[in-house]
Amino acid sequence: MANTTALSKDERKKSKRAARKKRKTENPLKPRDYARGSKKGKVKKLARGQAKR
C-alpha cells in the first residue's frame, strides 16, 4: 500500500478499504476442509480455574 500520510482521513479510509478488497480478490483464502471449531480441545470445567466459579 502507498504512503498515506499526505491524505485526509476519509481518503485514507477509502484507500485502505480498496487495498483490502484488492488483496482479497488477488489471493483468497482456500476453503477449510473441516468443521469450524472442530480442532479445539475440550476443556474440563475444573481446569478453567477460578473465573468460572
Side-chain angles (χ1 to χ4, degrees):
M1 200 174 116
N3 188 7
T4 58
T5 52
L7 303 176
S8 72
K9 185 180 177 187
D10 291 332
E11 289 172 330
R12 200 177 307 125
K13 283 175 75 172
K14 284 178 188 171
S15 71
K16 284 188 174 192
R17 181 175 168 79
R20 277 201 307 272
K21 287 181 91 167
K22 184 181 174 197
R23 188 170 62 232
K24 191 176 181 182
T25 56
E26 284 178 357
N27 46 7
L29 296 172
K30 70 176 182 65
R32 58 168 68 83
D33 49 357
Y34 52 88
R36 225 172 141 243
S38 65
K39 295 196 175 188
K40 291 181 82 173
K42 298 286 185 227
V43 179
K44 296 263 189 253
K45 286 184 182 176
L46 259 176
R48 291 188 203 157
Q50 193 85 32
K52 289 290 176 180
R53 274 178 215 105

